[in-house]
Amino acid sequence: MKIAIFGVGGFIGSNLVEHLVEEGVHEVVGMDVTNSKLAGIEGANFKYIEGNVGSDVTTAEELTEWADAVVDLIAYANPSIYVEAPLDVVQLNFFENMKILDYCLKYQTRLIQYSTSEVYGKRTRDEEYVEDSSDLVMGPVTKQRWIYAASKQLLERIIHGHGLRGDLDYSVIRPFNFVGPRFDYLVPAGAKGGPRVFSHFVSALITGGPIHLVDGGGQHRCFTHIKDASEAFSTILEHPAAHNQIFNIGNPDTNITMRGLAEMMGGIYTELTGKAPSNEIIEISGEDFYGKGYEDMDRVPPNVDKLRALGWTPKRDLDNIFREAIAFYLEPERHASIV
Ligand code: UDP
């Protein structure tokens, strides 16, 4: 198959390309504004094009016409950005994605759209999130964190509408906290906001700076190994029953609190380096850490029965997920951003 990936230069895209290069089955062309995370990922079946979907319109359109399947990964995906720059989030995560959808409609190219587990929003019932039956519950407008989930939700609803009308072949993916090599970036000691929790904790372990537990650290997340996530993508790409469907990609068996995660990462860090961490633990409010307009989810539990029915299952546990990701960032050449 000929696959065009928009937003190929990020964490999910670079790992997906690595997986597709290893498989060596499909012809892949990826476009992004930067390729720094693609360093060292090379294969005869992969080509990178530098460009911005917003301004390099012709290239994006030509790529869509060329491809059998378009993968749309274009997004801001850090809670700090949702709070600080909500209009930038809606511009990129909704309007720019709509352009890709329009090209897919024009050329009748299959669309594999990455959405987010945040579309489920606030948990109102004690149950796992199921793609086609769970409610999607957003917080108030004044908590602008939800602009990210609201943008993705509307995009999903438009895509589904086209599926119903019969003019679009699509699959929507809702990722649940993927983690692995190249995840986000390191931050200096004591930094607030910015990247997501793994990056903050691993940065603190490396710099010796404080570990911030936002709102007490009792929130739960289920983490997913990026390799399990890339394998899930292949199942969705290739399985005949994956067309015009929405899929959670997650691992229900990796549920952990943020306080538990800090402890577990400290343990892995000690095993990998021989040094016991002595980070100060600071409890901080969500507003002080991210800014006004932040709101959190207490749990984000995936149900992945729909994808299991197509033959995929997550194979890597919490230790696997975090050991590999921590080891990646322990390499001194990756420390430029924290010195
Ligand atoms: N969090 C934390 N300390 C940090 C960064 C984040 O306790 O240094 C918390 C955050 O408030 C949230 C959870 O970790 O409850 C996961 O946040 P993340 O930004 O990784 O992603 P989310 O799953 O919320 O999109």
Side-chain angles (χ1 to χ4, degrees):
M1 235 183 281
K2 289 184 279 189
I3 304 175
I5 306 179
F6 294 108
V8 73
F11 160 63
I12 296 179
S14 63
N15 280 280
L16 192 54
V17 167
E18 192 171 51
H19 168 75
L20 293 169
V21 163
E22 260 167 44
E23 273 190 349
V25 179
H26 305 291
E27 198 181 334
V28 184
V29 178
M31 182 168 165
D32 209 321
V33 289
T34 169
N35 66 347
S36 54
K37 293 200 180 199
L38 293 165
I41 303 174
E42 284 161 17
N45 64 334
F46 172 59
K47 190 176 140 204
Y48 170 73
I49 297 175
E50 186 166 308
N52 183 331
V53 169
S55 47
D56 300 305
V57 178
T58 316
T59 320
E61 189 167 341
E62 281 170 0
L63 264 182
T64 308
E65 188 178 10
W66 164 84
D68 300 309
V70 155
V71 179
D72 184 5
L73 280 161
I74 297 169
Y76 291 125
N78 281 346
S80 302
I81 303 175
Y82 319 156
V83 171
E84 283 162 21
L87 297 181
D88 292 349
V89 172
V90 81
Q91 178 59 39
L92 189 69
N93 293 13
F94 181 72
F95 290 110
E96 297 300 323
N97 284 274
M98 280 296 291
K99 289 183 188 159
I100 303 290
L101 168 60
D102 285 341
Y103 299 147
C104 288
L105 290 168
K106 182 168 173 188
Y107 296 105
Q108 284 299 288
T109 308
R110 181 176 180 202
L111 173 62
I112 302 184
Q113 177 68 55
Y114 277 74
S115 178
T116 173
S117 52
E118 282 203 24
V119 292
Y120 292 107
K122 296 181 168 197
R123 240 163 52 98
T124 49
R125 271 179 277 189
D126 189 20
E127 55 194 26
E128 288 182 340
Y129 290 138
V130 181
E131 295 91 336
D132 301 325
S133 57
S134 291
D135 291 329
L136 312 181
V137 186
M138 300 290 100
V141 169
T142 46
K143 300 286 183 195
Q144 66 268 24
R145 184 217 170 105
W146 299 106
I147 198 157
Y148 170 66
S151 303
K152 291 284 198 179
Q153 188 189 138
L154 183 56
L155 187 66
E156 283 195 19
R157 290 187 188 278
I158 293 170
I159 287 172
H160 174 70
H162 281 289
L164 284 179
R165 200 156 77 181
D167 59 5
L168 181 69
D169 177 4
Y170 75 88
S171 302
V172 165
I173 290 174
R174 294 178 179 162
F176 284 71
N177 291 82
F178 297 175
V179 170
R182 297 186 288 279
F183 183 83
D184 283 358
Y185 51 91
L186 299 179
V187 286
K192 296 180 201 152
R196 283 164 290 177
V197 66
F198 164 76
S199 301
H200 274 287
F201 288 180
V202 77
S203 301
L205 291 167
I206 292 167
T207 60
I211 287 179
H212 290 106
L213 288 181
V214 174
D215 295 328
Q219 311 88 306
H220 298 242
R221 292 291 186 273
C222 290
F223 292 93
T224 311
H225 197 295
I226 190 66
K227 288 202 172 98
D228 281 327
S230 296
E231 288 165 12
F233 169 85
S234 289
T235 302
I236 291 167
L237 180 73
E238 282 153 29
H239 202 293
H243 293 256
N244 289 16
Q245 295 293 331
I246 299 172
F247 292 99
N248 292 337
I249 300 182
N251 188 340
D253 300 325
T254 58
N255 186 53
I256 189 167
T257 63
M258 297 307 103
R259 187 178 285 278
L261 178 67
E263 276 166 28
M264 191 194 70
M265 285 181 60
I268 295 173
Y269 176 83
T270 306
E271 283 171 33
L272 291 175
T273 63
K275 289 182 266 183
S278 55
N279 308 79
E280 184 190 357
I281 304 274
I282 297 180
E283 292 194 20
I284 184 168
S285 72
E287 199 167 303
D288 287 343
F289 192 77
Y290 290 105
K292 215 168 155 41
Y294 179 72
E295 200 166 42
D296 207 353
M297 293 81 68
D298 67 333
R299 279 171 199 267
V300 193
N303 178 296
V304 290
D305 291 351
K306 198 169 166 184
L307 201 44
R308 282 195 218 269
L310 305 192
W312 172 86
T313 199
K315 297 198 282 270
R316 289 122 180 140
D317 64 12
L318 271 177
D319 186 80
N320 276 174
I321 296 168
F322 287 96
R323 194 169 290 269
E324 264 181 60
I326 293 171
F328 175 85
Y329 276 115
L330 286 179
E331 297 295 330
E333 71 263 24
R334 313 206 200 281
H335 296 177
S337 57
I338 53 171
V339 289

